[in-house]
Amino acid sequence: MRKKDKLPLILGFLHREYPDARCALLFHDDYECLFAIALSAQTSDRAVNMVTPALFARYPDVESLSKADEAEVRSLIVRLGLAKSKAHNLVLASRAIVERFSSQIPSSVEDLTSLPGIGLKTASVYLLERKGIASLPVDTHVGRIAVRLGLAEAKDSPGKIKEKLEAYFPKEEWHFVHLAFIAFGRNRCRAVNPDCSDCPLIGPCSFRRKKKKRP
């Protein structure tokens, strides 16, 4: 199926199945949003939402977190993956924000990704959620689905997949597609044992075809 034929099919499915897709992370301001996203790397949003209330109660702003003891921060996020490195980066990033940006969270991809532990995905999601800057960030769900639907190749970097998806979908759909792909990835198109039964996207999906080719 050609890309120009599959894109309306994909968008139609997403709007029918996930019309109210939204960010699952809980936060109240720019500070909480940025670091909740950073903490979500290689773990679930649900797990992040379980640790951030205590973390942000103890350190309510970048100034307090910039002075934190890393061991204490680690103890508050210990149930998350990579807790040691995440705690280290949270403190270093907070110090950088205080020292280089006058305690204000930066509002450009370049400045955000200059902070320890803040990659392109985290920066893009933050700018999308808090600043309304159009983007189509790629996490593991978005990347997996893009490859399965033939919109990207497995060898593509997240940045390359992002470029491709932003070229395929209208700009006004970027935020929605990002969130709906995540919902689809969690709910149905899982990495292991995806629920392919009666999926309207079986046509453009390569995952099912590859399974059928196995002896």
Side-chain angles (χ1 to χ4, degrees):
M1 183 181 294
R2 295 176 300 177
K3 289 186 178 67
K4 69 176 185 178
D5 296 324
K6 69 175 69 174
L7 293 175
L9 176 64
I10 293 169
L11 268 179
F13 166 76
L14 295 177
H15 277 289
R16 288 193 305 274
E17 295 296 318
Y18 308 102
D20 301 316
R22 63 182 63 189
C23 181
L25 292 170
L26 303 178
F27 50 83
H28 299 94
D29 54 30
D30 291 355
Y31 160 70
E32 291 187 5
C33 178
L34 179 65
F35 288 120
I37 297 167
L39 287 171
S40 69
Q42 298 187 40
T43 192
S44 68
D45 289 352
R46 180 180 181 183
V48 173
N49 290 339
M50 293 177 69
V51 305
T52 49
L55 175 68
F56 294 144
R58 177 68 180 85
Y59 306 106
D61 48 43
V62 287
E63 288 89 351
S64 56
L65 187 55
S66 70
K67 302 172 184 175
D69 177 74
E70 287 184 23
E72 183 175 1
V73 175
R74 185 168 66 252
S75 71
L76 293 171
I77 63 171
V78 69
R79 70 175 65 192
L80 303 181
L82 306 175
K84 184 176 181 179
S85 62
K86 287 180 180 179
H88 179 67
N89 286 331
L90 288 185
V91 174
L92 290 184
S94 294
R95 288 177 185 167
I97 293 169
V98 170
E99 295 170 1
R100 294 167 46 204
F101 301 103
S102 302
S103 300
Q104 301 299 309
I105 307 298
S107 56
S108 74
V109 169
E110 293 75 18
D111 287 340
L112 285 166
T113 54
S114 74
L115 301 172
I118 306 300
L120 177 61
K121 190 270 286 188
T122 296
S124 298
V125 174
Y126 167 78
L127 293 173
L128 189 61
E129 292 294 332
R130 296 300 295 179
K131 305 302 179 182
I133 297 177
S135 181
L136 210 166
V138 174
D139 70 349
T140 55
H141 297 295
V142 176
R144 178 176 69 254
I145 293 169
V147 171
R148 287 180 175 175
L149 294 180
L151 301 177
E153 298 180 31
K155 65 181 182 180
D156 289 342
S157 67
K160 185 63 175 178
I161 296 175
K162 179 176 181 292
E163 290 179 7
K164 289 183 175 181
L165 294 179
E166 289 180 349
Y168 296 147
F169 292 103
K171 191 172 184 178
E172 63 270 19
E173 296 281 8
W174 289 356
H175 193 181
F176 169 74
V177 170
H178 162 71
L179 295 172
F181 267 16
I182 291 173
F184 182 41
R186 289 176 177 153
N187 174 260
R188 191 165 188 174
C189 194
R190 298 177 291 271
V192 180
N193 295 324
D195 180 8
C196 301
S197 59
D198 301 318
C199 180
L201 299 184
I202 282 295
C205 181
S206 63
F207 181 83
R208 191 67 172 267
R209 292 198 300 272
K210 287 179 180 178
K211 288 188 68 176
K212 286 183 177 180
K213 289 180 181 179
R214 294 175 183 173

mmCIF file with all atom_site columns, all heavy atoms in Angstrom, residues 62-80:
data_model
loop_
_atom_site.group_PDB
_atom_site.id
_atom_site.type_symbol
_atom_site.label_atom_id
_atom_site.label_alt_id
_atom_site.label_comp_id
_atom_site.label_asym_id
_atom_site.label_entity_id
_atom_site.label_seq_id
_atom_site.pdbx_PDB_ins_code
_atom_site.Cartn_x
_atom_site.Cartn_y
_atom_site.Cartn_z
_atom_site.occupancy
_atom_site.B_iso_or_equiv
_atom_site.pdbx_formal_charge
_atom_site.auth_seq_id
_atom_site.auth_comp_id
_atom_site.auth_asym_id
_atom_site.auth_atom_id
_atom_site.pdbx_PDB_model_num
ATOM 1   N N   . VAL A 1 62 ? 13.321 24.414 40.646 1.00 0.00 ? 62 VAL A N   1
ATOM 2   C CA  . VAL A 1 62 ? 14.681 24.099 40.202 1.00 0.00 ? 62 VAL A CA  1
ATOM 3   C C   . VAL A 1 62 ? 15.730 24.543 41.207 1.00 0.00 ? 62 VAL A C   1
ATOM 4   O O   . VAL A 1 62 ? 16.780 23.911 41.335 1.00 0.00 ? 62 VAL A O   1
ATOM 5   C CB  . VAL A 1 62 ? 14.999 24.715 38.821 1.00 0.00 ? 62 VAL A CB  1
ATOM 6   C CG1 . VAL A 1 62 ? 14.282 23.976 37.721 1.00 0.00 ? 62 VAL A CG1 1
ATOM 7   C CG2 . VAL A 1 62 ? 14.694 26.194 38.790 1.00 0.00 ? 62 VAL A CG2 1
ATOM 8   N N   . GLU A 1 63 ? 15.448 25.621 41.944 1.00 0.00 ? 63 GLU A N   1
ATOM 9   C CA  . GLU A 1 63 ? 16.412 26.090 42.934 1.00 0.00 ? 63 GLU A CA  1
ATOM 10  C C   . GLU A 1 63 ? 16.648 25.044 44.022 1.00 0.00 ? 63 GLU A C   1
ATOM 11  O O   . GLU A 1 63 ? 17.797 24.743 44.371 1.00 0.00 ? 63 GLU A O   1
ATOM 12  C CB  . GLU A 1 63 ? 15.938 27.401 43.576 1.00 0.00 ? 63 GLU A CB  1
ATOM 13  C CG  . GLU A 1 63 ? 16.018 28.607 42.675 1.00 0.00 ? 63 GLU A CG  1
ATOM 14  C CD  . GLU A 1 63 ? 14.758 28.806 41.849 1.00 0.00 ? 63 GLU A CD  1
ATOM 15  O OE1 . GLU A 1 63 ? 13.881 27.897 41.866 1.00 0.00 ? 63 GLU A OE1 1
ATOM 16  O OE2 . GLU A 1 63 ? 14.654 29.841 41.167 1.00 0.00 ? 63 GLU A OE2 1
ATOM 17  N N   . SER A 1 64 ? 15.572 24.484 44.546 1.00 0.00 ? 64 SER A N   1
ATOM 18  C CA  . SER A 1 64 ? 15.716 23.481 45.604 1.00 0.00 ? 64 SER A CA  1
ATOM 19  C C   . SER A 1 64 ? 16.336 22.197 45.066 1.00 0.00 ? 64 SER A C   1
ATOM 20  O O   . SER A 1 64 ? 17.179 21.577 45.719 1.00 0.00 ? 64 SER A O   1
ATOM 21  C CB  . SER A 1 64 ? 14.360 23.185 46.252 1.00 0.00 ? 64 SER A CB  1
ATOM 22  O OG  . SER A 1 64 ? 13.411 22.769 45.293 1.00 0.00 ? 64 SER A OG  1
ATOM 23  N N   . LEU A 1 65 ? 15.957 21.802 43.857 1.00 0.00 ? 65 LEU A N   1
ATOM 24  C CA  . LEU A 1 65 ? 16.515 20.570 43.284 1.00 0.00 ? 65 LEU A CA  1
ATOM 25  C C   . LEU A 1 65 ? 17.988 20.752 42.925 1.00 0.00 ? 65 LEU A C   1
ATOM 26  O O   . LEU A 1 65 ? 18.773 19.804 43.008 1.00 0.00 ? 65 LEU A O   1
ATOM 27  C CB  . LEU A 1 65 ? 15.712 20.159 42.047 1.00 0.00 ? 65 LEU A CB  1
ATOM 28  C CG  . LEU A 1 65 ? 16.060 18.809 41.413 1.00 0.00 ? 65 LEU A CG  1
ATOM 29  C CD1 . LEU A 1 65 ? 15.982 17.678 42.441 1.00 0.00 ? 65 LEU A CD1 1
ATOM 30  C CD2 . LEU A 1 65 ? 15.136 18.515 40.236 1.00 0.00 ? 65 LEU A CD2 1
ATOM 31  N N   . SER A 1 66 ? 18.368 21.959 42.563 1.00 0.00 ? 66 SER A N   1
ATOM 32  C CA  . SER A 1 66 ? 19.769 22.209 42.207 1.00 0.00 ? 66 SER A CA  1
ATOM 33  C C   . SER A 1 66 ? 20.709 22.044 43.400 1.00 0.00 ? 66 SER A C   1
ATOM 34  O O   . SER A 1 66 ? 21.910 21.834 43.232 1.00 0.00 ? 66 SER A O   1
ATOM 35  C CB  . SER A 1 66 ? 19.929 23.616 41.620 1.00 0.00 ? 66 SER A CB  1
ATOM 36  O OG  . SER A 1 66 ? 19.755 24.613 42.620 1.00 0.00 ? 66 SER A OG  1
ATOM 37  N N   . LYS A 1 67 ? 20.159 22.147 44.614 1.00 0.00 ? 67 LYS A N   1
ATOM 38  C CA  . LYS A 1 67 ? 20.962 22.018 45.834 1.00 0.00 ? 67 LYS A CA  1
ATOM 39  C C   . LYS A 1 67 ? 20.789 20.655 46.495 1.00 0.00 ? 67 LYS A C   1
ATOM 40  O O   . LYS A 1 67 ? 21.320 20.420 47.586 1.00 0.00 ? 67 LYS A O   1
ATOM 41  C CB  . LYS A 1 67 ? 20.560 23.111 46.822 1.00 0.00 ? 67 LYS A CB  1
ATOM 42  C CG  . LYS A 1 67 ? 20.721 24.523 46.280 1.00 0.00 ? 67 LYS A CG  1
ATOM 43  C CD  . LYS A 1 67 ? 20.113 25.551 47.229 1.00 0.00 ? 67 LYS A CD  1
ATOM 44  C CE  . LYS A 1 67 ? 20.188 26.955 46.648 1.00 0.00 ? 67 LYS A CE  1
ATOM 45  N NZ  . LYS A 1 67 ? 19.498 27.964 47.515 1.00 0.00 ? 67 LYS A NZ  1
ATOM 46  N N   . ALA A 1 68 ? 20.062 19.768 45.840 1.00 0.00 ? 68 ALA A N   1
ATOM 47  C CA  . ALA A 1 68 ? 19.714 18.484 46.451 1.00 0.00 ? 68 ALA A CA  1
ATOM 48  C C   . ALA A 1 68 ? 20.903 17.536 46.513 1.00 0.00 ? 68 ALA A C   1
ATOM 49  O O   . ALA A 1 68 ? 21.845 17.617 45.713 1.00 0.00 ? 68 ALA A O   1
ATOM 50  C CB  . ALA A 1 68 ? 18.582 17.828 45.664 1.00 0.00 ? 68 ALA A CB  1
ATOM 51  N N   . ASP A 1 69 ? 20.829 16.617 47.462 1.00 0.00 ? 69 ASP A N   1
ATOM 52  C CA  . ASP A 1 69 ? 21.783 15.522 47.549 1.00 0.00 ? 69 ASP A CA  1
ATOM 53  C C   . ASP A 1 69 ? 21.304 14.427 46.597 1.00 0.00 ? 69 ASP A C   1
ATOM 54  O O   . ASP A 1 69 ? 20.155 13.988 46.673 1.00 0.00 ? 69 ASP A O   1
ATOM 55  C CB  . ASP A 1 69 ? 21.826 14.992 48.983 1.00 0.00 ? 69 ASP A CB  1
ATOM 56  C CG  . ASP A 1 69 ? 22.739 13.793 49.125 1.00 0.00 ? 69 ASP A CG  1
ATOM 57  O OD1 . ASP A 1 69 ? 23.965 13.982 49.098 1.00 0.00 ? 69 ASP A OD1 1
ATOM 58  O OD2 . ASP A 1 69 ? 22.208 12.664 49.219 1.00 0.00 ? 69 ASP A OD2 1
ATOM 59  N N   . GLU A 1 70 ? 22.180 13.997 45.725 1.00 0.00 ? 70 GLU A N   1
ATOM 60  C CA  . GLU A 1 70 ? 21.782 13.019 44.708 1.00 0.00 ? 70 GLU A CA  1
ATOM 61  C C   . GLU A 1 70 ? 21.266 11.717 45.319 1.00 0.00 ? 70 GLU A C   1
ATOM 62  O O   . GLU A 1 70 ? 20.342 11.099 44.791 1.00 0.00 ? 70 GLU A O   1
ATOM 63  C CB  . GLU A 1 70 ? 22.950 12.719 43.771 1.00 0.00 ? 70 GLU A CB  1
ATOM 64  C CG  . GLU A 1 70 ? 23.259 13.851 42.810 1.00 0.00 ? 70 GLU A CG  1
ATOM 65  C CD  . GLU A 1 70 ? 24.354 13.484 41.826 1.00 0.00 ? 70 GLU A CD  1
ATOM 66  O OE1 . GLU A 1 70 ? 24.561 12.265 41.587 1.00 0.00 ? 70 GLU A OE1 1
ATOM 67  O OE2 . GLU A 1 70 ? 24.995 14.402 41.276 1.00 0.00 ? 70 GLU A OE2 1
ATOM 68  N N   . ALA A 1 71 ? 21.854 11.310 46.421 1.00 0.00 ? 71 ALA A N   1
ATOM 69  C CA  . ALA A 1 71 ? 21.416 10.070 47.063 1.00 0.00 ? 71 ALA A CA  1
ATOM 70  C C   . ALA A 1 71 ? 19.975 10.183 47.540 1.00 0.00 ? 71 ALA A C   1
ATOM 71  O O   . ALA A 1 71 ? 19.191 9.220  47.451 1.00 0.00 ? 71 ALA A O   1
ATOM 72  C CB  . ALA A 1 71 ? 22.337 9.733  48.229 1.00 0.00 ? 71 ALA A CB  1
ATOM 73  N N   . GLU A 1 72 ? 19.603 11.360 48.033 1.00 0.00 ? 72 GLU A N   1
ATOM 74  C CA  . GLU A 1 72 ? 18.229 11.544 48.491 1.00 0.00 ? 72 GLU A CA  1
ATOM 75  C C   . GLU A 1 72 ? 17.263 11.557 47.316 1.00 0.00 ? 72 GLU A C   1
ATOM 76  O O   . GLU A 1 72 ? 16.172 10.977 47.382 1.00 0.00 ? 72 GLU A O   1
ATOM 77  C CB  . GLU A 1 72 ? 18.102 12.848 49.279 1.00 0.00 ? 72 GLU A CB  1
ATOM 78  C CG  . GLU A 1 72 ? 16.704 13.053 49.841 1.00 0.00 ? 72 GLU A CG  1
ATOM 79  C CD  . GLU A 1 72 ? 16.590 14.286 50.716 1.00 0.00 ? 72 GLU A CD  1
ATOM 80  O OE1 . GLU A 1 72 ? 17.598 15.015 50.879 1.00 0.00 ? 72 GLU A OE1 1
ATOM 81  O OE2 . GLU A 1 72 ? 15.486 14.519 51.234 1.00 0.00 ? 72 GLU A OE2 1
ATOM 82  N N   . VAL A 1 73 ? 17.662 12.220 46.236 1.00 0.00 ? 73 VAL A N   1
ATOM 83  C CA  . VAL A 1 73 ? 16.825 12.225 45.040 1.00 0.00 ? 73 VAL A CA  1
ATOM 84  C C   . VAL A 1 73 ? 16.652 10.795 44.528 1.00 0.00 ? 73 VAL A C   1
ATOM 85  O O   . VAL A 1 73 ? 15.540 10.377 44.191 1.00 0.00 ? 73 VAL A O   1
ATOM 86  C CB  . VAL A 1 73 ? 17.448 13.105 43.931 1.00 0.00 ? 73 VAL A CB  1
ATOM 87  C CG1 . VAL A 1 73 ? 16.620 13.006 42.646 1.00 0.00 ? 73 VAL A CG1 1
ATOM 88  C CG2 . VAL A 1 73 ? 17.543 14.556 44.390 1.00 0.00 ? 73 VAL A CG2 1
ATOM 89  N N   . ARG A 1 74 ? 17.737 10.040 44.525 1.00 0.00 ? 74 ARG A N   1
ATOM 90  C CA  . ARG A 1 74 ? 17.671 8.653  44.058 1.00 0.00 ? 74 ARG A CA  1
ATOM 91  C C   . ARG A 1 74 ? 16.719 7.832  44.919 1.00 0.00 ? 74 ARG A C   1
ATOM 92  O O   . ARG A 1 74 ? 15.972 6.987  44.402 1.00 0.00 ? 74 ARG A O   1
ATOM 93  C CB  . ARG A 1 74 ? 19.074 8.033  44.065 1.00 0.00 ? 74 ARG A CB  1
ATOM 94  C CG  . ARG A 1 74 ? 19.101 6.615  43.478 1.00 0.00 ? 74 ARG A CG  1
ATOM 95  C CD  . ARG A 1 74 ? 20.517 6.139  43.231 1.00 0.00 ? 74 ARG A CD  1
ATOM 96  N NE  . ARG A 1 74 ? 21.310 5.967  44.435 1.00 0.00 ? 74 ARG A NE  1
ATOM 97  C CZ  . ARG A 1 74 ? 22.306 6.737  44.820 1.00 0.00 ? 74 ARG A CZ  1
ATOM 98  N NH1 . ARG A 1 74 ? 22.664 7.790  44.077 1.00 0.00 ? 74 ARG A NH1 1
ATOM 99  N NH2 . ARG A 1 74 ? 22.977 6.505  45.932 1.00 0.00 ? 74 ARG A NH2 1
ATOM 100 N N   . SER A 1 75 ? 16.721 8.075  46.212 1.00 0.00 ? 75 SER A N   1
ATOM 101 C CA  . SER A 1 75 ? 15.838 7.312  47.104 1.00 0.00 ? 75 SER A CA  1
ATOM 102 C C   . SER A 1 75 ? 14.364 7.581  46.813 1.00 0.00 ? 75 SER A C   1
ATOM 103 O O   . SER A 1 75 ? 13.510 6.723  47.047 1.00 0.00 ? 75 SER A O   1
ATOM 104 C CB  . SER A 1 75 ? 16.136 7.654  48.572 1.00 0.00 ? 75 SER A CB  1
ATOM 105 O OG  . SER A 1 75 ? 15.706 8.966  48.900 1.00 0.00 ? 75 SER A OG  1
ATOM 106 N N   . LEU A 1 76 ? 14.074 8.764  46.270 1.00 0.00 ? 76 LEU A N   1
ATOM 107 C CA  . LEU A 1 76 ? 12.690 9.125  45.966 1.00 0.00 ? 76 LEU A CA  1
ATOM 108 C C   . LEU A 1 76 ? 12.218 8.559  44.633 1.00 0.00 ? 76 LEU A C   1
ATOM 109 O O   . LEU A 1 76 ? 11.012 8.453  44.384 1.00 0.00 ? 76 LEU A O   1
ATOM 110 C CB  . LEU A 1 76 ? 12.535 10.649 45.966 1.00 0.00 ? 76 LEU A CB  1
ATOM 111 C CG  . LEU A 1 76 ? 12.704 11.341 47.319 1.00 0.00 ? 76 LEU A CG  1
ATOM 112 C CD1 . LEU A 1 76 ? 12.757 12.857 47.149 1.00 0.00 ? 76 LEU A CD1 1
ATOM 113 C CD2 . LEU A 1 76 ? 11.556 10.961 48.254 1.00 0.00 ? 76 LEU A CD2 1
ATOM 114 N N   . ILE A 1 77 ? 13.169 8.197  43.772 1.00 0.00 ? 77 ILE A N   1
ATOM 115 C CA  . ILE A 1 77 ? 12.793 7.685  42.448 1.00 0.00 ? 77 ILE A CA  1
ATOM 116 C C   . ILE A 1 77 ? 13.324 6.265  42.236 1.00 0.00 ? 77 ILE A C   1
ATOM 117 O O   . ILE A 1 77 ? 13.416 5.800  41.105 1.00 0.00 ? 77 ILE A O   1
ATOM 118 C CB  . ILE A 1 77 ? 13.298 8.609  41.324 1.00 0.00 ? 77 ILE A CB  1
ATOM 119 C CG1 . ILE A 1 77 ? 14.831 8.685  41.306 1.00 0.00 ? 77 ILE A CG1 1
ATOM 120 C CG2 . ILE A 1 77 ? 12.700 10.013 41.469 1.00 0.00 ? 77 ILE A CG2 1
ATOM 121 C CD1 . ILE A 1 77 ? 15.395 9.417  40.085 1.00 0.00 ? 77 ILE A CD1 1
ATOM 122 N N   . VAL A 1 78 ? 13.680 5.601  43.315 1.00 0.00 ? 78 VAL A N   1
ATOM 123 C CA  . VAL A 1 78 ? 14.384 4.316  43.225 1.00 0.00 ? 78 VAL A CA  1
ATOM 124 C C   . VAL A 1 78 ? 13.591 3.254  42.468 1.00 0.00 ? 78 VAL A C   1
ATOM 125 O O   . VAL A 1 78 ? 14.182 2.349  41.853 1.00 0.00 ? 78 VAL A O   1
ATOM 126 C CB  . VAL A 1 78 ? 14.761 3.813  44.631 1.00 0.00 ? 78 VAL A CB  1
ATOM 127 C CG1 . VAL A 1 78 ? 13.515 3.406  45.424 1.00 0.00 ? 78 VAL A CG1 1
ATOM 128 C CG2 . VAL A 1 78 ? 15.759 2.665  44.557 1.00 0.00 ? 78 VAL A CG2 1
ATOM 129 N N   . ARG A 1 79 ? 12.267 3.361  42.456 1.00 0.00 ? 79 ARG A N   1
ATOM 130 C CA  . ARG A 1 79 ? 11.472 2.333  41.766 1.00 0.00 ? 79 ARG A CA  1
ATOM 131 C C   . ARG A 1 79 ? 11.521 2.478  40.246 1.00 0.00 ? 79 ARG A C   1
ATOM 132 O O   . ARG A 1 79 ? 11.060 1.593  39.520 1.00 0.00 ? 79 ARG A O   1
ATOM 133 C CB  . ARG A 1 79 ? 10.016 2.375  42.242 1.00 0.00 ? 79 ARG A CB  1
ATOM 134 C CG  . ARG A 1 79 ? 9.231  3.584  41.801 1.00 0.00 ? 79 ARG A CG  1
ATOM 135 C CD  . ARG A 1 79 ? 7.776  3.464  42.215 1.00 0.00 ? 79 ARG A CD  1
ATOM 136 N NE  . ARG A 1 79 ? 7.644  3.467  43.661 1.00 0.00 ? 79 ARG A NE  1
ATOM 137 C CZ  . ARG A 1 79 ? 6.518  3.156  44.320 1.00 0.00 ? 79 ARG A CZ  1
ATOM 138 N NH1 . ARG A 1 79 ? 5.458  2.777  43.641 1.00 0.00 ? 79 ARG A NH1 1
ATOM 139 N NH2 . ARG A 1 79 ? 6.464  3.206  45.623 1.00 0.00 ? 79 ARG A NH2 1
ATOM 140 N N   . LEU A 1 80 ? 12.073 3.582  39.763 1.00 0.00 ? 80 LEU A N   1
ATOM 141 C CA  . LEU A 1 80 ? 12.189 3.786  38.319 1.00 0.00 ? 80 LEU A CA  1
ATOM 142 C C   . LEU A 1 80 ? 13.480 3.187  37.792 1.00 0.00 ? 80 LEU A C   1
ATOM 143 O O   . LEU A 1 80 ? 14.461 3.061  38.511 1.00 0.00 ? 80 LEU A O   1
ATOM 144 C CB  . LEU A 1 80 ? 12.168 5.281  37.982 1.00 0.00 ? 80 LEU A CB  1
ATOM 145 C CG  . LEU A 1 80 ? 10.959 6.087  38.460 1.00 0.00 ? 80 LEU A CG  1
ATOM 146 C CD1 . LEU A 1 80 ? 11.101 7.531  38.010 1.00 0.00 ? 80 LEU A CD1 1
ATOM 147 C CD2 . LEU A 1 80 ? 9.658  5.489  37.947 1.00 0.00 ? 80 LEU A CD2 1
#
